[in-house]
Amino acid sequence: MADGVVRSKKTQNKTVARPRTALLTPFLSSNPCPDLDLCPRFSLSESRRSSSSRVAGVEDEGRTLEDFSAALAMNPFSSGTRLRDMIKAIRACKTAAEERAVVRKECAAIRSSISENDQDYSHRNIAKLMFIHMLGYPTHFGQMECLKLIASAGFPEKRIGYLGLMLLLDERQEVLMLVTNSLKQDLGHTNQYIVGLALCALGNICSAEMARDLAPEVERLLLTRDPNIKKKAALCSIRIIRKVPDLAENFLSPATSLLKEKHHGVLIAGVQLCTDLCKVSEDASNHLRKNCTEGLVRILKDICNSPYAPEYDIAGITDPFLHIRVLRLLRMLGHGDADTSEYINDILAQVASKTESNKNAGNAILYECVETIMGIEATSGLRVLAINILGRFLSNRDNNIRYVALNMLMKAISVDSQAVQRHRTTILECVKDSDASIRKRALELVFLLVNDTNAKPLTKELVDYLEVSDQDFKGDLTSKICSIIEKFSQEKKWYIDQMVKVLSLAGNYVKDNVWHALIVAISNAPDLQGYSVRSLYKAFQLSSEQVSLVQVTIWCIGEYGEMLVNNVGVLQVEEPMTVTESDAVDVLESCLTHHSTDITTQSMCLIALLKLSSRFPPSSGRVKEIITTHIGSVVLELQQRAIEFNSIIQRHQNIKSSLVERMPVLDESTFISKRAGSSQANISTEKSNQQLPSGASLKLSNGVAKPAASPLVDLLDLSLDDTPVPTSTSNDFLHDLLDVGLTNSSSSGVASASGTDILMDLLSIGTPVQSNTTPENGSSIKGFNDILPIAKPNTATVQVVDLLDGLASNGSHPGAQSPVHPSIIAYQSSTLKITFSFTKQPDKPQVTQIHATFMNLSSEAYTDFIFQAAVPKFIQLHLDPANSNHLPASGNGRITQTFTITNTQHGQKPLAMRIRIAYKVSNQERLEQGQINNFPPGL
Amino acid sequence: MGIRFVLLVNKQGQTRLAQYYAEHLTLDERRALEGEIVRKCLARTEQQCSFVEHRNYKIVYRRYASLFFLVGVDNDEQMEYTYCGSFTHGRSKQFSSVIAYVAMGAVVDVIAYVNELAILEFIHLFVETMDRHFGNVCELDIMFHLEKAHFMLEEMVMNGCIVETSKSNILAPIQLMEKAS
């Protein structure tokens, strides 16, 4: 067949249907990275090097489609011309619809051919189906045909059959059960190529059950003399021990003997098998450490020093793939073992210093070698060598090399952070690279590099870069900057300054909880409130398009408007500025009317305006006008607010000022702990209640002497039995409650004509006042008490509450020792449902106990039920045994299993888990797997 | 785990070869994944590095003429997930004898990553092998001889692990086959 191609190439010079471009040629002419250059092994005619003469080259050597057909006519898999016809027809399609039509027609033909049991065409059919499958169309109907081909006697049929099996099937399908027998027969075949085919198929698709059945065959084949069979059997064993780890011990001694081979294919497969054995069993790695370290070092020495071996030579290095594999196994053996590490120190030093780094293959080995040095208990001299290699990589021109250097430095940080700090400037440059992959790596590395001493300059660099960075990079960059600012701020002013900068540069990318934190911080810094509102005002004048900046500004103007106008608490560094009352109102009005403002912002504007009308009596007429314009708003929320606020301004001047008083100081520690999802939330609230200055709460308007007020959270959390507490603090929190009450009450809250209590109006509660109201508190308290039962159940759904008072978090329950995390449905398929519920020890925020409940949704009982879970490495997992392994049908019983996870990066990274469930239904194995991403935050 | 998939895609985004290892994607998932990856890689310039992170894969890609060779490997950023579930001990299938198997965190740490540069070298080896067989291999060769390209890949990679790196060893069974027919 190869002859056919060559002949047609030489004899026929027809016009080309499509220019034929050899893959390797243009790559040479526009080689992006010189390190990856091809050796001059390929004799390439000069005419192919330049693009202008490439056309001529095509004319010279041009093969037409007809040539291809000549070649294909001799292809045993196309039997006739039809495969070529099909590919040609598909290629000729101009639209996806045309292609679908062609594929449909072909599939119909193949189906009928299959049903007619047409043996002559079955391998051609499979070849076609492979092509159709590659294009992404369903091809399940060809599966049985593959089995038939596998069962036939001839090698060509078997080969295409196995290939089809690997492509069209996967281990979940029941068809696979039927193939076990054919595989068993072929594994015992006398022809080595047929055995090779069977091993290859088994290695790619075998299921746990097949692994158990066929493991003895594979073990036997590991001991044959033919290297081709040996290497495939070794890789097949890898699959088997991954599927059934308890078979590992059987493979240990054959694997060890593989390392003594000379054939590179066998060696590479053997080394990989050993690596996998180490992964699944501690015993195996001890055994290998004792018996194989010496052999591995010798292998590495041999390939390092071997003379030129043309078959395995890549860029002057003998078999880099084997190099890398051996280095990786040595890393596993040397990890945490001083003796082995010492033993392999020398050879690592030799590899690290002798390998040439001007070609990609050499760099790949160096990269692996550095990783190994970092992974074992290496001497300090060796570590210096490794860090130096990384430094060289980092300054390389080639982007690929820089990328892996950044990758590696991230791991090196835990070994020697000082050495990595030395490269800080270079790394910072990489954050500004034009390549997104490099930027992402570098940003993550910078994040790890930040410490108390360099936080300020690094933040400045990053913030400066934020201004000019790509749009699609801003999100990542912003969130990283924000966490650096929050984590490393030592003084409040710096924190506020940086946040205002970030908000005005990339406010649209700032997450809600970040600017909520800013508001909490401002409210906790009485001496910086004036400064904050003024800087926000200035920033707003320059960039009014950034949503979160706008929202923070609105909130601050509402709260601290008079500080803006009267220049309260001017710091020395500030430039003096004059803002009039009407300027402040202008800001709010422009936000309210701006076309791109969303409802949340508009609602915040309305509240801020109401507050200003009390802070700036001269402007209250104007405020009233603005509010009135929204009485007819089509948005229910705005209309309601406008109408209610209007009635406050018109009819209730006497209580307005107390109604819209400044927010009480938001409790910082509660907020932080809630954000971090710490279980200490409530404890800290209690603690801070005693510590808080709680300035506002001392003014007890009702004269009811009560202990110091608790923040809003407590108010909202309080059940009716606790009414005495709210009475003591009612006035201070009335305005907060307004937010709650307003959003919850029905929209009919137009003030009633009679002069009854305003709160009653606002909430329009027609029901009788609760009986447990303290009588001497007066009517306003009655209304207030009424709010509680209404407001409380709904708080979770009210967005505004969250936005305005970061404290009013959703339904954390009073009395509970730790926040209750809701249960989740972790996994659900048509056959199985898994529910997780969570418990936490209050003093250990990192540790979560998960109670998993499994329920069988199908009508058949499951036996041998096994649940497995996998977690990223920053999480530790401990599984307790389940209470049963038998799961009755249709939800009639449950299995429960408890496990404990420890999130070592608690507060920084959320939980994630992959699960795998194996069970048997009427003695057939089933496997389900999935990933759980819906863990409640804060675990 | 190593290699999760090998994809050959031309400049128009049409798949020319697709092989997945230990990856169970439905047809729709596969199409979606290929589409996303191709869009991401095709948009990159030649000066940018050959690595792209996508979902839980890291894609190492290299372009030869009109054809992109994409190899998906585990992304170590996501950390390799080690199944530390409960294995049955010995051969007994008694679930009660299951011992909770705690992650061998330390061991996982040191091997849970893929050498991207080696994968690049592997791609090149694959192209060279095809080039030796077809002689100036081009996209059409791969299209019309899809099964042969698969046979070569099969000789080189099994279950996501590289098994043979010598071109003549890879090609031997294929040439034998051709002689026979």
Side-chain angles (χ1 to χ4, degrees), chain A residues 39 134 141 152 242 253 275 304 415 423 446 548 581 601 765-766 810 853 855:
Chain A
C39 321
M134 183 191 74
F141 51 85
S152 61
R242 274 184 196 162
S253 75
T275 315
C304 266
V415 177
H423 299 292
V446 167
S548 48
E581 289 178 1
T601 318
I765 307 161
N810 313 340
T853 313
M855 220 160 86

Side-chain angles (χ1 to χ4, degrees), chain A residues 209-347:
Chain A
E209 191 165 89
M210 286 166 83
R212 279 207 182 82
D213 287 350
L214 297 175
E217 308 287 323
V218 178
E219 270 172 60
R220 181 178 59 77
L221 290 170
L222 270 177
L223 303 171
T224 53
R225 292 185 56 194
D226 186 350
N228 283 322
I229 291 183
K230 255 187 192 171
K231 70 182 184 200
K232 287 186 179 170
L235 282 185
C236 203
S237 319
I238 294 181
R239 173 99 181 183
I240 289 173
I241 58 172
R242 274 184 196 162
K243 291 283 165 197
V244 191
D246 51 332
L247 290 175
E249 50 191 300
N250 303 359
F251 287 97
L252 191 53
S253 75
T256 322
S257 64
L258 285 181
L259 298 180
K260 299 189 180 83
E261 294 280 336
K262 286 275 170 276
H263 187 277
H264 281 214
V266 179
L267 273 180
I268 206 168
V271 171
Q272 287 180 85
L273 176 57
C274 291
T275 315
D276 264 76
L277 283 169
C278 290
K279 265 194 241 182
V280 295
S281 139
E282 197 67 47
D283 292 346
S285 54
N286 287 335
H287 175 88
L288 289 169
R289 194 171 289 142
K290 232 177 271 159
N291 300 316
C292 298
T293 318
E294 206 176 320
L296 286 168
V297 170
R298 197 174 321 115
I299 294 173
L300 203 52
K301 245 181 211 147
D302 284 350
I303 49 173
C304 266
N305 303 323
S306 80
Y308 177 68
E311 252 322 295
Y312 293 99
D313 184 78
I314 292 176
I317 291 161
T318 308
D319 206 346
F321 299 101
L322 184 57
H323 257 107
I324 287 166
R325 280 291 158 191
V326 174
L327 283 170
R328 185 166 305 179
L329 181 54
L330 285 177
R331 176 156 79 245
M332 289 197 74
L333 298 178
H335 182 78
D337 187 290
D339 291 343
T340 317
S341 300
E342 199 191 324
Y343 188 79
I344 58 182
N345 259 339
D346 281 351
I347 185 72

Side-chain angles (χ1 to χ4, degrees), chain A residues 346-623:
Chain A
D346 281 351
I347 185 72
L348 290 180
Q350 194 189 337
V351 172
S353 51
K354 270 186 78 179
T355 311
E356 286 203 37
S357 64
N358 53 354
K359 288 283 189 329
N360 181 55
N363 285 327
I365 294 175
L366 283 176
Y367 178 38
E368 193 72 39
C369 192
V370 170
E371 179 102 11
T372 300
I373 293 171
M374 297 291 173
I376 65 167
E377 317 296 313
T379 57
S380 60
L382 205 52
R383 290 219 161 125
V384 170
L385 189 62
I387 296 275
N388 287 346
I389 291 175
L390 288 183
R392 233 167 45 223
F393 273 19
L394 200 58
S395 53
N396 201 305
R397 275 185 312 123
D398 186 347
N399 275 338
N400 288 341
I401 307 291
R402 283 203 292 159
Y403 177 89
V404 295
L406 291 170
N407 225 351
M408 198 55 237
L409 283 170
M410 254 167 97
K411 289 164 194 158
I413 248 181
S414 58
V415 177
D416 187 353
S417 74
Q418 275 307 311
V420 183
Q421 289 283 2
R422 278 205 296 279
H423 299 292
R424 205 172 55 219
T425 8
T426 326
I427 296 164
L428 209 53
E429 281 311 303
C430 290
V431 176
K432 303 170 186 173
D433 201 272
S434 62
D435 187 334
S437 299
I438 290 189
R439 278 198 310 247
K440 189 161 173 252
R441 283 276 139 217
L443 183 61
E444 267 157 32
L445 187 52
V446 167
F447 185 64
L448 294 177
L449 280 178
V450 179
N451 57 27
D452 287 333
T453 48
N454 61 20
K456 281 190 179 179
L458 273 178
T459 313
K460 187 179 177 310
E461 284 276 349
L462 291 176
V463 171
D464 287 348
Y465 177 61
L466 186 59
E467 203 166 352
V468 290
S469 67
D470 277 1
Q471 289 302 320
D472 48 353
F473 188 49
K474 275 197 171 131
D476 278 350
L477 191 56
T478 310
S479 72
K480 281 280 188 294
I481 294 178
C482 289
S483 20
I484 294 176
I485 295 175
E486 282 174 12
K487 212 162 141 197
F488 294 98
S489 73
Q490 281 145 344
E491 46 197 289
K492 272 220 158 130
K493 181 170 171 297
W494 182 79
Y495 168 75
I496 292 170
D497 282 344
Q498 301 304 316
M499 282 311 295
V500 170
K501 250 191 228 170
V502 172
L503 283 176
S504 48
L505 286 173
N508 291 334
Y509 300 94
V510 173
K511 300 221 166 55
D512 281 352
N513 58 2
V514 172
W515 65 262
H516 292 176
L518 175 61
I519 285 184
V520 173
I522 293 177
S523 96
N524 274 289
D527 45 340
L528 287 173
Q529 282 162 353
Y531 172 73
S532 309
V533 69
R534 282 188 296 275
S535 7
L536 282 164
Y537 178 82
K538 265 187 267 182
F540 176 83
Q541 302 296 330
L542 297 172
S543 46
S544 58
E545 297 296 319
Q546 307 287 353
V547 179
S548 48
L549 175 73
V550 171
Q551 289 177 334
V552 177
T553 312
I554 292 169
W555 190 87
C556 286
I557 289 180
E559 293 300 318
Y560 313 116
E562 75 279 9
M563 297 189 177
L564 174 67
V565 175
N566 304 332
N567 276 329
V568 175
V570 181
L571 302 182
Q572 283 187 336
V573 288
E574 268 187 272
E575 286 172 33
M577 60 189 277
T578 352
V579 184
T580 63
E581 289 178 1
S582 77
D583 286 341
V585 180
D586 280 346
V587 168
L588 296 176
E589 191 183 7
S590 70
C591 287
L592 194 55
T593 51
H594 196 275
H595 61 91
S596 64
T597 313
D598 62 4
I599 298 172
T600 315
T601 318
Q602 287 179 323
S603 319
M604 292 176 74
C605 281
L606 283 176
I607 291 202
L609 279 169
L610 180 68
K611 291 200 169 189
L612 282 193
S613 82
S614 140
R615 310 251 199 292
F616 307 148
S619 301
S620 80
R622 188 167 156 222
V623 168

Side-chain angles (χ1 to χ4, degrees), chain B residues 60-122:
Chain B
V60 180
Y61 73 97
R62 212 167 157 182
R63 187 186 150 179
Y64 290 89
S66 58
L67 214 51
F68 283 81
F69 286 68
L70 308 151
V71 176
V73 295
D74 283 314
N75 188 355
D76 53 327
E77 173 53 18
Q78 305 276 322
M79 307 305 172
E80 178 156 300
Y81 283 75
T82 338
Y83 277 92
C84 63
S86 29
F87 317 135
T88 41
H89 270 251
R91 303 246 170 173
S92 74
K93 291 185 180 174
Q94 276 293 312
F95 200 76
S96 52
S97 73
V98 163
I99 297 173
Y101 198 86
V102 182
M104 299 173 294
V107 182
V108 176
D109 269 2
V110 286
I111 48 113
Y113 96 111
V114 187
N115 189 323
E116 297 92 348
L117 297 177
I119 298 288
L120 267 185
E121 208 52 60
F122 162 76

